[in-house]
Amino acid sequence: MAEASSASATKSDEEKVEMLDRLLTRLALCDDSNLQPLLSKLLPYTISSLSSQSSAVRNKVLEILSHVNKRVKHQPEIGLPLLELWNIYSEANAASMVRNFSILYIEMAMDRADTKQKEDLAAILLSGVSRLPLQHQEIILRLATKVIGECHSKGINDEVAAKYRMISDSQDRNVFLEFCLHTMLYQQSSQRECPPGLSIAQTNRVTGKQPLKNDILLTRKLGILNVIDAIELAPELVYPLYVASSVDCQEPVVKRGEKLLKKKAAGANLDDSDLINKLFLLFNGTAGSQSVAPESRITPANPALKAKLISIFCRSITAANSFPATLQCIFGCIYGSDTTSRLKQLGMEFTVWVFKHSKIDQLKLMGPVILSGILKSLDTVSSSESDATVRDSKTFAYQAIGLLAQRMPQLFRDKIDMAVRLFDALKVEAQHFRLSIQEATNSLATAYKGAPSTVLKDLEMLLLKNAQEEQSEVRFCVIRWATSLFDLQHCPSRFICMLGAADTKLDIREMALEGLLLVKDDGQIMSQKQELHYPKLGVMLDYILRQQPNLLDSSEMREQKLHFPSKTYLVMIQFLLKCFDSELEQDSSIKGSTDFQSSVKALCLLLEHAMAFEGSIELHARASKALIAIGSCMPELIASTYAQKVSWLRQLLSHVDLDTREAAARLLGFASSALDPAESSALISELIASVSGRRKIRFEEQHGALCAVGYVTADCMSRTPAIPDALFQTTLKCLVDVTNSETAPLASIATQALGHIGLIIPLPSLVIDSSSVDILVVLHEKLRKLLSGDDNKAIQKVVISIGHMCVKETSSSRLNIALDLIFSLSRSKVEDVLFAAGEALSFLWGGVPVTADLILKANYSLSMASNFLMGDVTSSLSKYISIEKNGAKEERNAKVRDAITKKLFDDLLYSTRKEDRCSGTVWLLSITMYCGHDPAIQKMLPDIQEAFSHLLGEQNELTQELASQGMSIVYELGDAAMKENLVHALVNSLTGSGKRKRAIKLDEDSEVFQEGVIGEGLSGGKLSTYKELCNVANEMGQPDLIYKFMDLANYQASLNSKRGAAFGFSKIAKQAGDALKPHLRSLIPRLVRYQYDPDKNVQDAMSHIWKSLVADSKKTIDENMDLIVDDLLIQCGSRLWRSRESSCLALADIIQGRKFDQVGKHLRKLWSASFRAMDDIKETVRNSGDKLCRALTSLTVRLSDVSLTDVSEARQTMDIVLPYLLTDGILSKVDSIRKASIGVVMKLAKGAGIAIRPHLSDLVCCMLESLSSLEDQGLNYVELHAANAGIQTEKLENLRISIAKGSPMWETLDLCIKVVDVESLDQLVPRLAQLVRSGVGLNTRVGVASFITLLVQKVGVEIKPYTSRLLRLLFPVVKDEKSAASKRAFAGACAAVLKHAAPTQAEKLIDDTVALHTGDKNYQVSCAILLKSYSSVASDALSGYLAAIIPAIFISRFEDDKVISSLFEELWEEHTSGERVALQLYLAEIVSLICEGIGSSSWASKKKSAQAISKLSDVLGESLSSYYPVLLQSLMKEIPGRLWEGKDALLDAIAALSVSCHKAISSDDPSTLNEILSIVSSACTKKAKKYREAALTCLEKKKMMPEFLVH
């Protein structure tokens, strides 16, 4: 068996050799012109034969291949069988030798193939390339990229792109992409060196045998970019390629690369580890790696690519965590051999990014190394270098240090070297670096928190050393470190802050004050007070005194120098007082300790030092008040200390500052308590003498002396024994005389002194000439005069003094005088005066919980303590003891209270004058607040509540706010029943169901509106009082108008009541708590709306109550969402514009960020409310409607976007919103609503994706109809008058269509096309068909046709079930359409449908189309346009019917109408490559159609048929001989008979036919010539000149033929 098989193989090999020998002989005998067909069969067989093991066969093959090589080497036009060679190569069992030779000849064949072959095969070559041997892989990749460069550098068609997209194997794609990247990185170089970013092996892989030239490189790179773009790969895969191309040295590549980088790779995930590793490999290379073979070592990228890459790394978290590549990259930028200043800058920027975003375990590895590198770079860069990139590098370096300090504080915490370095840098570096150094320094501060005590001590010294440096940045950082690094109890840092408080820079001063907690907004500090721990007074003072020991050297002469600036002293005093207060609060028993007393004495010395002449007035006032503050807590110490310094205090009584003088006078009052009676009497006598002496003294001295007289006398009268009566009478007489004789400032001080004395004892009668008289009687007129003056400060002092005088008074006559004087201020418009009068009335009422010592020996004021009645007075007064009570006083108090009550409730609170109501409110609130626990007030609470409730509706803001404050106080003071009634009343006011309990009778002067609220009168005067409103109503002849005015006023009052109730509510909400819960359901929706009220005051008031009632605003709104939205939707339709406006604004705010389950049920109503508001009569409401519409748009788009919302919810959103927008929005008559609706619909279509499919039919039809309905009407007008204006109708139509295609409607239609699927067609096609039949307007009709075209292109063969219906519909429309643009659009749609139609449908349509060429002009134009569309869109479907089409086109070329003939001429040129060939191919059909035309009843058909015969004769000549009998017979039949326009064409045709076919005519039947001659001769006798001339011309042509000459 084996022998037989061997014999067979041997025989087979012999046969192969014989066969190959014959092939070689045939090859040798073949000439060059026939070589290519021979090689297409010979070469594949020959190479396949190499699989034989026979040496004879192989030798013969090599001989043949050698011959082939010699023959084709210098003849590139001879092609080789490319596809067959590739098939041989691709065979699974192909021998290695076969493959080796195949690949060589494939390479040769590729150079000789045509473009189409190359394009088709290049994509096929790449399939499976990853599995090829490396050498073959390189050849294939080079071939593919070569073809790509040659064929696709300017673009790639869809068919070829689809082939590239079929490369499905990821390894194949990766190999191809890697080769493309290497090609992109390759740059031509004059030196024989490896291009940056490549290794030697990669370079050889790209180039092959020889370097690539620049022009080849350019086309190859552009081709690669186009192909990669067409393949549509994931952005992460193509990102490195696009990045490399964007920094290429050739401009076209750069532009294309940048465009693709932005367009296709912008969405790449820069945190993809594979992508970042590839980019780092590009950046760093592997040149320094010893483990890689030398030829495989990749050089680092060039500087331009490095700069691009590092900017990418600065956006990647993964890049920041890719140790050690990250470290290598940073050091390459900063210290690399080829680095640039720009790279250094970017390297520092990347360092900042790494420090900010790297994980801590990575940072621990890199941080110390990078920090050392940064410090080294800072040391090497000169501070004088001015290059911008160098500056940026240093800036980033300092930023990096700051970030590293935040992330790795342990690197810096154990020593202060870095702190010293940065503080020194702040001093020496240029100004433009200081901000970044400052930020780094501030960041470094956090690193030292928790540092060892020795380090902190060193830092203290460093900060003290730099606290007064010249550079403001240094001082700023010192203060920042002092405040952030150390706590409040740390004395050195607080001392630094005290120094900083006097800085010239505002920001440093403010930061220093914050460090001392002395900022002006004390509200926040007070709330944190429990957590604050101030240093001990003694410790803080000791540190200050160690820094400045001279502070203890106090001099009573006030001539010493200040050792600190005044501003430092100011904050030092404030802070030390806080330390003092804090220590006393912690332990009040400390007052008796010797250490504390010594500290207080030292503090007093410091304060005395601050009183030096050199200090500012503000400092003197602060220091003197600080002494009073200390005295109020430790009166004995201050009294004993300053009893020895009376002369020093006497100096201060003449100080230029009023506050300082008053403080000195109080201190004298303190000091007098430590003096014996004789010394006190002497002091009073000296003071009186200075005031009443004949020597004229300065005002300041008088003022100070009078103040001191009051305080010292009051103190002496409180002691036993008191001063002598004579001296007391002298004192009183002096004060009365001053009051009566001096101007208001001094008179008020004298009255104040009397008041201070009156706090201690009842003022006795004044003995004048042995008769006694009451002091108030003596001063009555003067005081009245003072109170009616215009010195408001004097009035306040006087009125409070009157109250003080009556504290101990029991005489009813004196009390009546006092009340009369106070009540005279009821019409005052000065708020401070009213507050002062209220305070005085409270003292008269009795029960004010304030002692005389508190007023005389402390910086205390009732009005200030209660924050002018708006604060919580209970807490501020609770620590003071009430003035004692006795029977006589109670009787006196009852009378006073009756008088005050009568005045308030009968005259003021319900007065017709707003001034009276305002003063009544202030005074009632003062008495309620200061004397609230008095039983008399408790009994009056219901009346007080009613009064305050009534006053809530006041227009005056002060009245309203105080009334609401009064409500809260009444609530606090009242019992449970009253609290409940009050809550109900306030809720009713807010919800609009409350009623005013008491009516006010209007006088003619009663102010109904505030001035300017409702404009001016007819004469230009104001309109505010009742009388003025009545006059306007009468002047207009409409007396009933006054009722409308009053209705408006009532409405204004109700708004004011709501605002006032809100203020009241905000006060009591915290106390009411549970009592309000039942009402929240009705309150919350209204409160939400009122917060958006157009009136800013109402907004503020409602915001107050909202914050008081609601702890968590978001949670409350979420829980009551449905309730709120329902109420707001109802109010959107209110008759009140402010309700409509506020409701829209509220809805716009609360719907933001909501989920579908929260707003889904309200969506339709919300859109309805929005559109209604956008069409409102009032502009502000329309604006709020626009805002609501924008918010709704954002909400709806988000809820319908399938990438952001669940698909089911997105569909539900679309089901609710889209139909409403399409029916009520886009079809609205309001322009703004239409525009908004279209914008929303377009956004919905863009984001909704597949969720829009159920609505496609409605949406598409609406958009198509809108193309015309929403078109600018001006274009319609222009079209009507186009002819008159000389504008071509067709150009105008094209303009209108181009505008429509740029509209949002068309953009929406494009989006709709993208989501169409097969299921959508069932609904969409019938609606489109209906629109084709009934749609009106040029844009709509062109639009529907274009949409059908796009739809067919999108769904492809899926349109087949609908083709019959569409063709039956579209074809008649094309025929009947008058507009050329519309006709072309429908023809395009018809052609698109034809492409997928069944053969029978296609045949019928084409036959019907061809038949149109015999119709009228419109039909002929339709025929031409349809045929053109078919040929361009459905050429495959048309190819089988050319026999019917070409004849019609040929004959129609001869139409008289130039428009029609030119259309068919274009078609003829398009369908025929050569006229003669085409005519010969379809001659039978043409002749048949010509005969039909000549025989028709239409003269035009006869004429063009005759012209066609002439053309046939001219082109074909003798080739027409076989058809001349039919043509000649038709012509001869038509020539006799009547003449008609154009009949001469028949004579021209018969002449042309006779000339071209004269041989055939003569040989077939010579008698035919006689017949022709006879017919033409008879035509010469016709009367029509043109026809006769044509006949003679015909005869003239025939005379040239010998046969005719015989006849």
Side-chain angles (χ1 to χ4, degrees), residues 1311-1324:
L1311 295 169
C1312 292
I1313 283 290
K1314 293 177 182 177
V1315 296
V1316 169
D1317 61 350
V1318 180
E1319 290 77 13
S1320 307
L1321 295 177
D1322 289 338
Q1323 289 183 333
L1324 191 55

Side-chain angles (χ1 to χ4, degrees), residues 398 417-429 434 437 441 462 465-466 469 471 474:
Y398 286 117
D417 296 1
M418 185 58 71
V420 172
R421 183 187 188 107
L422 291 182
F423 274 108
D424 289 344
L426 278 174
K427 299 176 195 173
V428 300
E429 287 286 9
R434 288 185 190 170
I437 302 172
T441 309
L462 177 67
K465 178 184 173 184
N466 289 286
E469 284 293 334
Q471 293 81 6
V474 178

Side-chain angles (χ1 to χ4, degrees), residues 116-127:
K116 179 65 176 168
Q117 262 190 310
K118 289 180 184 179
E119 283 183 342
D120 290 343
L121 192 63
I124 299 171
L125 291 177
L126 295 172
S127 292

Side-chain angles (χ1 to χ4, degrees), residues 326 456 562 636 638 673 798 813 944 1144 1448 1477 1483 1494 1570:
T326 304
L456 291 175
L562 286 179
E636 292 85 2
I638 293 297
S673 63
V798 169
S813 61
I944 295 173
C1144 287
V1477 173
L1483 186 57
I1494 291 176
N1570 290 330

Side-chain angles (χ1 to χ4, degrees), residues 165-366:
R165 283 195 285 270
M166 289 173 67
I167 305 172
S168 56
D169 188 274
S170 59
Q171 291 184 336
D172 293 344
R173 281 204 311 265
N174 290 340
V175 167
F176 176 55
L177 277 172
E178 184 183 23
F179 188 81
C180 289
L181 175 61
H182 295 160
T183 305
M184 196 63 66
L185 290 168
Y186 180 81
Q187 306 289 347
Q188 189 180 26
S189 174
S190 56
Q191 287 129 8
R192 303 281 297 175
E193 60 182 19
C194 184
L198 296 174
S199 66
I200 295 171
Q202 289 169 346
T203 305
N204 294 337
R205 185 177 167 90
V206 170
T207 58
K209 298 174 183 176
Q210 55 188 2
L212 299 174
K213 295 182 180 178
N214 273 335
D215 54 343
I216 295 173
L217 259 181
L218 175 61
T219 57
R220 197 166 292 187
K221 289 180 179 181
L222 289 174
I224 286 171
L225 290 175
N226 289 331
V227 169
I228 297 298
D229 177 28
I231 297 176
E232 298 179 354
L233 297 169
E236 290 78 18
L237 294 175
V238 298
Y239 198 80
L241 179 69
Y242 290 161
V243 169
S245 64
S246 67
V247 292
D248 197 80
C249 61
Q250 293 174 304
E251 187 64 24
V253 180
V254 173
K255 286 183 178 178
R256 182 69 176 144
E258 285 180 344
K259 184 178 179 182
L260 289 172
L261 190 61
K262 291 175 184 175
K263 182 180 175 184
K264 293 298 181 72
N269 177 16
L270 295 182
D271 288 319
D272 181 76
S273 56
D274 291 339
L275 171 60
I276 292 301
N277 289 337
K278 287 178 188 174
L279 297 180
F280 268 126
L281 183 62
L282 266 182
F283 189 98
N284 297 321
T286 56
S289 177
Q290 299 302 317
S291 60
V292 181
E295 66 275 6
S296 298
R297 290 175 188 168
I298 300 170
T299 58
N302 59 48
L305 182 54
K306 279 186 174 182
K308 187 81 173 182
L309 289 171
I310 205 149
S311 65
I312 294 166
F313 295 151
C314 288
R315 290 180 281 142
S316 169
I317 304 292
T318 303
N321 292 282
S322 297
F323 183 82
T326 304
L327 193 61
Q328 188 180 350
C329 171
I330 291 172
F331 274 83
C333 287
I334 299 175
Y335 300 115
S337 58
D338 61 341
T339 190
T340 62
S341 57
R342 171 66 178 157
L343 271 179
K344 286 182 180 179
Q345 174 206 339
L346 290 169
M348 287 299 181
E349 186 177 349
F350 184 45
T351 305
V352 172
W353 177 263
V354 170
F355 284 170
K356 186 181 289 186
H357 295 287
S358 61
K359 295 174 183 174
I360 195 66
D361 55 343
Q362 294 270 340
L363 194 59
K364 284 178 181 176
L365 297 170
M366 295 186 287

Side-chain angles (χ1 to χ4, degrees), residues 453-478:
S453 57
T454 54
V455 174
L456 291 175
K457 198 71 180 171
D458 292 341
L459 284 175
E460 284 178 25
M461 301 302 297
L462 177 67
L463 296 180
L464 274 171
K465 178 184 173 184
N466 289 286
Q468 303 291 320
E469 284 293 334
E470 178 185 353
Q471 293 81 6
S472 63
E473 293 83 3
V474 178
R475 302 196 302 275
F476 182 91
C477 289
V478 167

Side-chain angles (χ1 to χ4, degrees), residues 682-747:
L683 177 59
I684 292 171
S685 298
E686 289 175 13
L687 292 171
I688 292 172
S690 66
V691 173
S692 57
R694 292 184 179 179
R695 184 176 67 85
K696 189 70 175 175
I697 60 174
R698 291 186 303 117
F699 169 82
E700 288 83 1
E701 291 182 35
Q702 276 186 294
H703 178 270
L706 287 170
C707 283
V709 166
Y711 287 114
V712 175
T713 305
D715 180 76
C716 291
M717 296 309 293
S718 66
R719 289 184 289 158
T720 306
I723 59 173
D725 290 341
L727 180 57
F728 187 41
Q729 279 288 324
T730 304
T731 303
L732 294 176
K733 195 177 293 184
C734 173
L735 294 174
V736 170
D737 289 344
V738 171
T739 304
N740 274 324
S741 61
E742 292 293 345
T743 56
L746 285 177

Side-chain angles (χ1 to χ4, degrees), residues 549 722 1003:
D1003 297 333

